[in-house]
Amino acid sequence: METSKTNSTGTRVLDFFKRWLEHRYLPAILAIGAILVMLPALKIDLAVDDLMQRAVELKPSQLPLRMHEAGNPADSGSFSTVLRDLFGFSRDPQNMALMKSYGTLPWWTPDNFRFALWRPVTAFTHWLDYRLFPDSPMLMHAHNIAWFAAIVFLVTIIYRKLLGAGWVAGFAALLFLLDVNTYFPVAFVANRGFFLSLFFGLLCLYEHHQWRSAKSRSGLVLSALFLALSLLTDEGGASTFAFILAYALVLEPGSLRNRALTVLPSILVIVLWRTIYTLSGFGVFHMGLYIDPVYEPLEFGREVIPRVMVLLGSQLTSVAPEVLSTVNPILQPKVVAFFCLPVVAALVVFLPWLRRDKTAAFWFAIMVLAAIPASTVVPVSKNLGFVAVGAYGLIASFVAGLITRPSRLPKGLAYRIPAWIACVLLILAHVPGAAAGRVAVVKVAPLLFNRMCLLSDLGDWPNIENENVIIINALPLALVHAPSYKAYHHQPLPRTLRALVPAGTSFDVERTDDKTLVIQSKAPDIFSCDNVGPINSAYASRTLNLLVGEPQCKKGDRYDLGGLTVEVLETDAADLPSRVAFRFNTSLDSPDFHWLRFDWQTRGYQPYQPFKIPAIGQSVTLSGPHPKEEIEEKKLK
């Protein structure tokens, strides 16, 4: 009797849940839910890239002196400049030279380095922010959240369009809403473009379906328009093509020729966009974090498969792909294999269902195809939006098939047991697991954003604007953000800001004469990271150092920065510098210099305890990052 009552209660709960997922107003309900789950982000202040964009949005009169020397556009604040230069660095080689001379970009930045992104539609939304509420980060976050709510509304409608109005579509949309990977990107104002591209990409899919299913000519025109808008909001909008190609491969009837013709309009839009993009000087080149397939096809070919597997494994398990960058490089191939395991296992379990259900195969194709453009960047969760659309459509379809139509699947226990295990694990990972993850990131996010800002905090002291700040070992990405951080906090900029070597390894600093320092890395090269255990945030810092590249050098190579000459004295087997001389035009003891070093124990620069330059003929050793156990032991002592 007791068991019967329990079963009856469980059945009623499931029936209620199904009716709720089939509610006619579910798209609006989930959109409101998207707003509610993102409300904690309203309290987060602007950080890192947000601050760089803010500097481009403001007029020179609203910024500290020397912002242009540090790389900010000379005509910042103008509408055309915001649309053109809000993302990345200027396309102008002279401006890049200014940044290297001032020190915003370090001396080792390759001469052909380029990082200029064309996102005019997204830039326009930020321009509106700074015209309507320039001093309100809360409203800027609210703007992001509004777009996220619109995406949840739209993705629910599309799931219903292709999966039917039943509970399966509602379940897929609920999974998308709960996705833990969306919190950080939405909470980061500068990431708005990723969600705008997804919003227009979903509109493109909707209109493409209208064109192909209802033969609507307006659907064809609107589909092409929304694809163009997706590309003009973010390069990640190229993943919109995954929607179109998957539709042609799986859902489109007819011959191969007819299917190819349905893809042709999208190809023409992409080719036109890319042509204008390239001819206008935009693009990414010689930057370790990004690989442009057009400029570096061989490099992209080497990296695409492991990056795709990490992205897919992350999406299926809810384990953040950023985990990879915190792992010891020696162990990273094993971590990639770890991400591969759930992908391979899922493929084995899904395959019988994919053969029997075209819609499930469509979502699977989207998931895989969308991961390819996303892999142009090192695996990060903010690039999983398009992948998530396919993944959750596939997961919901598979779960529904296993529960309601088991007869369409293999009957043997050799399949049924793994299939049910996969079903349970997927539900646990993406419902209670994702909900718990969202609670955790709400608490972690403010701390993380605050820590990211502090890495750019060089301090403020009297007469700083008349001094040259020299950082022995620095985090290059933090220095890129340092001028905009100072501008946000109304602090003056130093005369110059120079980083000598990256902060990743231990090294000796020797003063050979009155004006010269020689740095000898303890590791094979100055770009190495010390072995600090299997997992450490220092490895992530090493990955971020790749933002400005790693130059291949020859012994004797010189870099003249004006007031400082850098000479490579020795290199390792990979032609990376291991011993470098820094010759200044004036004595190292000059009061014009303010010497800093990055301290791994405090994760800061200790600006009020300047680094003491050794006497002539003397040297000092600076330590790299420490294992966590070692730091805790020192604290206890």
Side-chain angles (χ1 to χ4, degrees):
M1 182 68 71
E2 193 68 31
T3 303
S4 177
K5 287 183 179 179
T6 303
N7 291 338
S8 177
T9 302
T11 302
R12 286 198 300 269
V13 171
L14 287 175
D15 287 342
F16 171 80
F17 186 56
K18 285 183 178 181
R19 288 196 302 272
W20 181 77
L21 291 176
E22 294 169 355
H23 198 286
R24 60 182 297 188
Y25 295 125
L26 184 67
I29 293 171
L30 292 183
I32 294 171
I35 294 172
L36 294 176
V37 298
M38 287 306 307
L39 284 180
L42 294 176
K43 299 179 181 179
I44 297 175
D45 199 3
L46 299 182
V48 288
D49 288 357
D50 298 337
L51 303 184
M52 291 186 68
Q53 292 178 9
R54 176 182 177 273
V56 178
E57 294 278 3
L58 299 181
K59 296 179 180 179
S61 60
Q62 299 173 284
L63 297 167
L65 295 175
R66 300 197 178 98
M67 280 299 293
H68 174 51
E69 296 174 33
N72 207 54
D75 54 349
S76 62
S78 70
F79 181 68
S80 60
T81 298
V82 170
L83 293 191
R84 184 184 64 243
D85 294 326
L86 189 63
F87 297 95
F89 307 135
S90 174
R91 298 164 293 148
D92 182 1
Q94 292 183 346
N95 196 64
M96 297 290 290
L98 269 178
M99 296 175 72
K100 288 183 72 171
S101 178
Y102 182 82
T104 315
L105 290 177
W107 61 267
W108 60 82
T109 306
D111 291 335
N112 55 357
F113 171 81
R114 184 191 301 171
F115 180 46
L117 308 175
W118 189 38
R119 302 172 179 176
V121 174
T122 305
F124 176 70
T125 69
H126 289 291
W127 182 83
L128 286 177
D129 285 357
Y130 280 90
R131 297 306 163 287
L132 299 175
F133 32 83
D135 300 315
S136 178
M138 178 180 289
L139 291 179
M140 294 180 189
H141 283 297
H143 190 168
N144 271 26
I145 294 170
W147 284 110
F148 178 57
I151 288 170
V152 171
F153 180 88
L154 189 55
V155 81
T156 307
I157 289 175
I158 289 175
Y159 280 142
R160 286 187 163 186
K161 197 83 172 175
L162 294 170
L163 287 168
W167 67 271
V168 183
F171 183 51
L174 178 64
L175 294 177
F176 185 90
L177 168 63
L178 293 175
D179 188 359
V180 69
N181 287 320
T182 59
Y183 185 84
F184 274 114
V186 177
F188 200 177
V189 174
N191 275 339
R192 184 179 300 162
F194 290 94
F195 286 93
L196 280 172
S197 66
L198 179 56
F199 174 76
F200 288 117
L202 290 169
L203 286 175
C204 173
L205 172 60
Y206 181 87
E207 293 298 340
H208 184 82
H209 178 66
Q210 291 295 99
W211 171 40
R212 301 313 304 152
S213 61
K215 306 304 177 184
S216 166
R217 291 186 178 180
S218 63
L220 168 60
V221 174
L222 289 173
S223 174
L225 173 63
F226 290 132
L227 171 58
L229 288 172
S230 181
L231 292 166
L232 292 172
T233 55
D234 189 275
E235 300 74 23
S239 289
T240 299
F241 187 63
F243 293 156
I244 307 302
L245 184 57
Y247 199 100
L249 291 173
V250 181
L251 298 183
E252 187 71 41
S255 66
L256 183 61
R257 177 180 176 276
N258 289 336
R259 295 183 184 198
L261 289 175
T262 66
V263 175
L264 185 59
S266 298
I267 293 177
L268 293 176
V269 170
I270 293 173
V271 170
L272 178 61
W273 162 78
R274 180 69 206 206
T275 301
I276 297 172
Y277 188 90
T278 302
L279 293 178
S280 300
F282 293 98
V284 178
F285 194 57
H286 270 296
M287 184 181 187
L289 297 183
Y290 291 73
I291 304 174
D292 190 321
V294 175
Y295 293 138
E296 301 173 286
L298 295 179
E299 181 67 19
F300 181 70
R302 284 193 294 268
E303 295 289 339
V304 63
I305 292 179
R307 288 185 177 187
V308 163
M309 296 303 285
V310 170
L311 290 169
L312 294 179
S314 170
Q315 187 62 64
L316 291 171
T317 61
S318 289
V319 176
E322 288 86 350
V323 167
L324 180 64
S325 65
T326 66
V327 174
N328 191 316
I330 298 174
L331 300 176
Q332 285 187 5
K334 295 182 179 180
V335 177
V336 172
F338 164 79
F339 279 108
C340 288
L341 287 176
V343 178
V344 174
L347 181 60
V348 171
V349 170
F350 289 154
L351 196 56
W353 182 244
L354 298 178
R355 290 172 177 169
R356 293 163 173 80
D357 191 291
K358 269 194 170 186
T359 306
F362 169 67
W363 299 120
F364 173 78
I366 287 176
M367 181 180 74
V368 175
L369 293 172
I372 296 174
S375 65
T376 56
V377 187
V378 292
V380 287
S381 54
K382 68 180 181 181
N383 289 336
L384 284 171
F386 287 88
V387 177
V389 172
Y392 292 129
L394 172 63
I395 291 171
S397 175
F398 169 72
V399 170
L402 196 61
I403 294 174
T404 63
R405 291 183 286 176
S407 60
R408 297 187 63 186
L409 291 167
K411 296 180 180 179
L413 291 180
Y415 174 79
R416 288 297 175 92
I417 292 176
W420 275 105
I421 291 174
C423 177
V424 171
L425 291 177
L426 286 169
I427 291 174
L428 289 175
H430 296 289
V431 182
R438 276 192 163 270
V439 172
V441 297
V442 166
K443 296 182 178 181
V444 171
L447 300 175
L448 180 60
F449 280 113
N450 183 57
R451 170 56 61 185
M452 292 165 68
C453 281
L454 290 178
L455 292 176
S456 299
D457 183 11
L458 305 178
D460 186 30
W461 56 86
N463 203 40
I464 184 176
E465 63 271 23
N466 296 317
E467 295 181 347
N468 298 292
V469 174
I470 313 294
I471 305 177
I472 299 293
N473 56 334
L475 301 177
L477 184 59
L479 290 192
V480 170
H481 294 116
S484 55
Y485 177 89
K486 281 188 162 293
Y488 186 57
H489 293 279
H490 308 287
Q491 298 174 1
L493 270 63
R495 185 185 298 165
T496 59
L497 177 62
R498 299 268 169 75
L500 301 190
V501 296
T505 185
S506 303
F507 54 87
D508 293 328
V509 182
E510 180 186 6
R511 184 175 182 177
T512 56
D513 59 44
D514 187 47
K515 301 178 182 179
T516 306
L517 284 181
V518 173
I519 292 182
Q520 172 73 59
S521 174
K522 296 281 191 180
D525 59 77
I526 63 173
F527 298 106
S528 298
C529 183
D530 290 346
N531 188 336
V532 284
I535 299 177
N536 196 293
S537 62
Y539 301 127
S541 299
R542 165 70 177 80
T543 300
L544 290 175
N545 287 346
L546 294 175
L547 175 75
V548 293
E550 291 179 342
Q552 290 187 321
C553 305
K554 299 188 298 292
K555 183 178 180 179
D557 281 355
R558 293 192 177 197
Y559 304 83
D560 186 4
L561 303 179
L564 169 63
T565 300
V566 181
E567 181 180 359
V568 177
L569 301 179
E570 294 178 12
T571 62
D572 67 356
D575 291 328
L576 295 174
S578 58
R579 189 165 184 260
V580 187
F582 301 89
R583 297 187 177 91
F584 292 83
N585 287 0
T586 56
S587 171
L588 304 182
D589 299 315
S590 169
D592 291 341
F593 292 143
H594 191 96
W595 297 86
L596 298 176
R597 70 180 179 90
F598 185 78
D599 185 352
W600 277 101
Q601 290 194 34
T602 62
R603 300 299 171 101
Y605 290 101
Q606 298 184 321
Y608 308 110
Q609 298 178 10
F611 173 72
K612 187 176 180 180
I613 296 295
I616 296 174
Q618 300 296 311
S619 65
V620 63
T621 299
L622 294 186
S623 299
H626 302 274
K628 291 181 179 178
E629 318 82 69
E630 187 177 325
I631 293 175
E632 292 301 322
E633 186 178 332
K634 288 183 178 180
K635 286 181 180 178
L636 290 173
K637 290 181 179 178

